[in-house]
Amino acid sequence: MTEHSGIGTIQPPTDHADILTWVAEVAELTAPERVVFCDGSGAEWDRLTALLVEKGTFVALSAKPNSFWCASDPEDVARVEDRTFICSHDRADAGPTNNWVDPLDMRTVMTEHYRGAMSGRTMYVIAFCMGPLDAADPKFGVQITDSEYVAASMRVMTRSGAPVWAKLTGGTEFVKCLHSVGAPLAPGQADVPWPCDKTKYIAHFPQTRTIWSYGSGYGGNALLGKKCFALRIASVLGRDEGWLAEHMLILKLTSPQGRTHYVAAAFPSSCGKTNLAMLESALPGWWAETIGDDIAWLRFGADGRLYAVNPETGFFGVAPGTGAKTNPNAIATIARGNSIFTNTARTDDGDVWWEGLTDAPPAHLIDWRGQDWTPDSDSPAAHPNSRYCTPIEQCPSVAPEWNDPTGVPLSAIFFGGRRANTVPLVAESFDWAHGVFTASVLSSETTAAAAGRVGVVRRDPMAMLPFLGYHIGDYFAHWLRLGAAADPAKLPKIFQVNWFRRGADGKFLWPGFGDNVRVLKWALERIDGTAAAEWTPIGHIPTADALDLDGLAAGYRDLLPAALAVDIEEWVAETRSIDEWYATIGGNRLPEHLREQLAALKLRLVQA
Ligand code: GTP
Ligand code: MN
Ligand code: MN
């Protein structure tokens, strides 16, 4: 080992034998120049970020305290779903929606990629905990990485460092998370600002609760506490232990009368979770507070209600479209600094910019590729999947209970996607099982959050298509089973929503953002039994005057009937597409009950 960089400590802060053995094995295989155990301190952050600036990865922003801009390799900008694998022992357990490779084969192939992969680099060992440290059953992870960018980002996104090491004593279970950017440095070889490899693997081993990630530095591929652990591996833990790991925001809503409800909402990537989580209510007296913006762990409490916990401590939010008008709370959160911006544009006065931050772009920018940019340029200044990474505690709308180890009891769950047609602004499911059916056929047009074509409609059940660690049919059965075992009166009500329906002119029929509170208000009034609704074959929708439209921007009132319409022909076509989707799941693992739900929907459509 050469001289120690001054980050963390080279002395292991733990006597956990499994961790020490594993760290030694990985060091032997990957051959880093040094091994550093992260303590998660502010001083460590300062040294990591200074090192990143020195290496040319980060540019310190003079306009925001303790904040940094960086650009990834242009080929490493999003999650890579076609390189993401669920390596269960039995192929059938990965299901039809995941890529599968035999775990032994995957380990063999990846071991050769990892061999010597950290040469010339520092190997960081990060202990973290998803969810509050004082939870009844805290879920620990240890990530090994050769990326300073990842080490710094993990400090924002998870509870990490010394307090976690203190709890991770001998024998405590943890998820092994191994990550390398796959860019070894020969002696004397200069580094690049964003090291990564053309070949990428994001592999999950559900049986051994292990994650191996190779070749990418991008958040969803490299911050392994997030999608890899808190969704893919956690979904398997939830299946085995009787709970749910979901791609959901968690929001607290208080009425003018002081009545509080907690709700969760699942939308596919880049479909509005972070925005709804930080909602600035358009209705006076209605007060929204943030608990989580991306992931919710749902468990039944002793009182029979379903409780939601946010396992993360930061926001890794989509930057474009985030502005003072659409999401003032996000803007205020990042204004407090301590943030990392990836693939946004950079201004001449040491700040960041992206499409939608301000109405008019600055006259000159450095775009996400590092090129000069002016408003005449043909390409966007910020990558469409550029992100800000910022601590949740800085959010002005954060609810004090965001850190509560038991979580918050849910009154409602919303499922939504990006659909230009067919799906109405809101519809209330008839009951839990019908809600599970609507969630199982949730669909959305693809976005820039994942590599591949944008704007293609695909089924994204529960917004979990890219994040489920086991068979989708078993997952539906798990949702149905949990509901069937619960007291129906205590279950959250399930709604489907669509903020993205468009009129014949191609424009959105609903203003969205802060005005979405009108839809939430109606849903909560349905729960309290005070709002009117009209029966349709797909669920209950608001009657013409049931939505509170006080103060709605001119024009939208006239568009509301089109936004709420349930068009029978469109839905008949939809059931055909659902037939195709269900056919891909495979006969014996799609719960019979969902087939019955689909048949019942078809019957209601015929009779309507
Ligand atoms: P991930 O973080 O990738 O899981 O995505 P997300 O669900 O958090 O999406 P986010 O809230 O960041 O929204 C992504 C895009 O949708 C942004 O461009 C927003 O401006 C846009 N958006 C969010 N809410 C609304 C809405 O109510 N109406 C419309 N029209 N657009 C919205
Ligand atoms: Mn997400
Ligand atoms: Mn988000």
Side-chain angles (χ1 to χ4, degrees), residues 226-227 247 268-275 293-294 315-318 387-388:
K226 195 174 179 56
K227 305 300 191 184
H247 192 205
S269 297
S270 227
C271 291
K273 286 183 303 302
T274 299
N275 278 275
D293 83 317
D294 196 52
F315 305 125
F316 186 69
V318 179
R387 300 262 169 172
Y388 56 82

Side-chain angles (χ1 to χ4, degrees), residues 119 213 229 306 342 516:
S119 304
S213 167
F229 179 167
L306 189 58
T342 307
N516 292 334

Side-chain angles (χ1 to χ4, degrees), residues 425-494:
L425 179 61
V426 59
E428 176 194 342
S429 299
F430 299 121
D431 55 25
W432 178 269
H434 178 241
V436 172
F437 165 70
T438 59
S440 79
V441 303
L442 184 66
S443 58
S444 195
E445 292 144 20
T446 51
T447 66
R453 266 181 73 198
V454 168
V456 185
V457 173
R458 71 170 184 186
R459 297 289 145 190
D460 192 344
M462 283 82 168
M464 282 287 281
L465 183 72
F467 305 120
L468 187 63
Y470 63 103
H471 194 294
I472 191 83
D474 295 357
Y475 171 64
F476 294 158
H478 187 49
W479 264 88
L480 289 169
R481 212 166 29 239
L482 287 176
D487 176 352
K490 292 180 178 169
L491 279 171
K493 258 191 192 294
I494 297 178

